[in-house]
C-alpha cells in the first residue's frame, strides 16, 4: 500500500513513457498519487491527468519561483478549478529564497493570496519552503485562524522548526532525501515528528532515494523511504506504509 502525496507526473521528462509508467503503478502496489501543480501550465496538465488515471488526484497552485506569472485573472481561474472533481489541495505554494527571482515581496504576496484562496475553497495546502523558514512561519501564523490544514512538503529545516510546525498542527512531507547519506539533520527532525503527522512523497521525477539518487524518481520508490523511516522509528515497514497512507487519506479527505 503506497500513497504518493506529492508527485509531478506532468513533467516533460516523463513525456516519453508517462502512460506506460502510470498504468503499471497499481500492480506495483501504488494505490494513490497526488499530482501537484507548480505553475499555471502544470496545473492545466494536472487537470488532464486526474481525468485520465482513476488513482491520480490533483493539487492546483503556483510554486513561489513561478509567481511572476500570477495575475488577478489567473487567480480567478485557479479558484474556479479548485471546485473540480478530484482536486484535493492548493499547492504547491510558499517561499523559495534559494534563488533571487522573483523578488521576495512578490513571492510573499502570492503566497498569502493562495492561502486566502485555500480558506475560501476549504482545501488543505501544500507548502514549499526553501531557505525561508522565518518568513514562512510568520505568514502561516497570520493565516492561522483561517487555516484549512497543510503539509510542509520536502521538510528541510531543523527539529526546532519542526516543533513550531507541529504545535500549529502541520503535517510533514518526507521523501527520498531521508535516505541520503548527509541527511542527519532531517533524521533528527523525523525523530521528534510523531508518525501520525508524516506523509510520504516522491516529488518525482526529482529527489529519487538511494540507491537511485540522481536518477528519475517514481512512486514505487516510496518503499525505500518507508524502509528508512521504519528503521529510524523502530517499527515495521508495512506499519509505516499503512499509517502514512491513512494519514494521507485523512489529510486529503479521501475515502
Ligand atoms: Ni514538488
Amino acid at each position: 500500500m503506497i500513497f504518493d502525496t506529492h508527485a509531478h507526473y506532468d513533467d516533460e521528462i516523463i513525456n516519453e513513457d508517462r502512460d506506460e509508467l502510470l498504468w503499471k503503478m497499481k500492480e506495483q502496489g501504488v494505490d494513490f498519487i497526488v499530482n501537484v501543480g507548480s505553475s499555471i501550465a502544470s496545473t492545466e496538465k494536472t487537470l488532464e491527468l486526474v481525468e485520465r488515471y482513476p488513482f491520480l488526484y490533483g493539487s492546483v497552485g503556483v510554486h513561489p519561483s513561478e509567481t511572476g506569472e500570477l495575475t488577478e485573472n489567473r487567480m480567478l481561474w485557479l479558484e474556479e478549478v479548485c471546485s473540480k472533481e478530484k482536486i484535493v489541495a492548493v499547492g504547491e505554494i510558499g517561499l523559495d529564497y534559494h534563488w533571487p527571482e522573483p523578488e521576495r515581496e512578490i513571492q510573499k504576496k502570492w503566497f498569502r493570496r493562495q492561502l486566502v484562496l485555500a480558506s475560501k475553497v476549504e482545501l488543505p495546502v501544500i507548502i514549499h519552503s526553501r531557505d525561508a523558514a522565518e518568513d514562512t512561519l510568520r505568514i502561516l501564523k497570520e493565516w492561522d485562524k483561517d487555516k484549512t490544514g497543510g503539509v510542509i512538503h520536502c521538510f528541510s529545516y531543523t527539529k526546532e522548526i519542526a516543533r513550531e510546525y507541529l504545535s500549529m498542527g502541520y503535517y510533514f512531507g518526507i521523501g527520498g532525501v531521508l535516505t541520503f547519506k548527509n541527511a542527519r539533520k532531517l533524521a533528527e527532525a523525523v525523530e521528534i515528528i510523531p508518525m501520525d503527522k508524516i506523509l510520504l512523497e516522491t516529488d518525482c521525477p526529482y529527489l529519487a532515494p538511494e540507491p537511485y539518487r540522481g536518477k528519475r524518481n517514481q512512486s514505487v520508490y516510496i518503499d525505500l523511504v518507508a524502509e528508512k523511516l521504519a528503521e529510524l522509528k523502530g517499527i515495521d515497514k508495512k506499519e509505516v506504509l499503512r499509517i502514512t497512507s491513512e494519514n494521507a487519506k485523512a489529510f486529503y479527505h479521501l475515502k
Side-chain angles (χ1 to χ4, degrees):
M1 183 200 295
I2 287 177
F3 193 136
D4 185 355
T5 63
H6 188 123
H8 301 283
Y9 283 106
D10 55 281
D11 196 291
E12 57 182 21
I13 295 173
I14 305 167
N15 280 356
E16 245 174 52
D17 61 343
R18 180 174 296 108
D19 240 3
E20 198 190 326
L21 191 68
L22 283 168
W23 285 122
K24 274 197 316 216
M25 288 290 166
K26 274 269 178 188
E27 66 189 61
Q28 296 182 97
V30 180
D31 294 311
F32 292 99
I33 296 169
V34 173
N35 201 75
V36 179
S38 55
S39 63
I40 294 296
S42 76
T43 293
E44 279 170 347
K45 285 191 195 147
T46 297
L47 296 173
E48 288 169 25
L49 293 179
V50 302
E51 286 195 16
R52 185 165 176 83
Y53 306 100
F55 50 87
L56 194 139
Y57 291 75
S59 175
V60 302
V62 174
H63 182 288
S65 300
E66 306 293 331
T67 45
E69 70 171 1
L70 271 172
T71 60
E72 296 302 329
N73 272 339
R74 284 178 162 160
M75 283 301 296
L76 286 174
W77 178 79
L78 277 177
E79 181 177 339
E80 204 181 292
V81 297
C82 279
S83 64
K84 286 201 178 238
E85 219 189 319
K86 296 178 80 188
I87 296 307
V88 293
V90 171
E92 55 189 289
I93 61 174
L95 301 172
D96 193 324
Y97 293 170
H98 186 72
W99 310 106
E101 300 280 330
E103 274 173 44
R104 295 181 180 189
E105 287 312 310
I106 292 174
Q107 294 191 34
K108 285 190 229 173
K109 172 186 168 177
W110 294 110
F111 181 27
R112 288 192 174 100
R113 288 292 304 277
Q114 292 183 92
L115 288 171
V116 170
L117 168 65
S119 303
K120 193 171 176 192
V121 298
E122 297 179 332
L123 288 176
V125 293
I126 299 171
I127 307 287
H128 171 105
S129 177
R130 189 179 186 195
D131 300 343
E134 266 180 49
D135 281 358
T136 307
L137 269 171
R138 186 176 312 125
I139 288 175
L140 289 176
K141 278 176 184 162
E142 288 168 15
W143 184 58
D144 207 50
K145 63 173 184 352
D146 299 316
K147 76 169 177 235
T148 48
V151 57
I152 313 301
H153 143 66
C154 196
F155 183 76
S156 59
Y157 297 129
T158 60
K159 64 178 181 212
E160 287 73 28
I161 306 271
R163 278 203 185 92
E164 293 238 28
Y165 283 123
L166 272 177
S167 71
M168 293 162 75
Y170 283 86
Y171 285 81
F172 296 77
I174 304 293
V177 175
L178 190 65
T179 68
F180 296 175
K181 287 192 178 64
N182 52 357
R184 201 171 53 89
K185 188 178 76 171
L186 177 59
E188 276 176 19
V190 160
E191 269 173 35
I192 67 143
I193 303 172
M195 277 306 296
D196 66 355
K197 285 294 177 196
I198 294 178
L199 304 180
L200 296 184
E201 60 174 36
T202 54
D203 208 21
C204 73
Y206 312 103
L207 297 175
E210 292 289 0
Y212 302 108
R213 188 172 181 178
K215 306 236 164 65
R216 191 176 77 172
N217 200 1
Q218 57 158 309
S219 304
V220 178
Y221 295 167
I222 278 198
D223 201 62
L224 295 158
V225 180
E227 200 171 296
K228 183 68 192 178
L229 188 56
E231 188 188 310
L232 290 170
K233 292 288 191 187
I235 57 175
D236 198 64
K237 184 180 79 179
K238 271 195 186 142
E239 194 61 1
V240 166
L241 289 171
R242 186 189 65 79
I243 297 170
T244 52
S245 290
E246 290 304 316
N247 295 346
K249 283 182 203 164
F251 177 72
Y252 288 124
H253 306 292
L254 296 178
K255 298 247 166 57

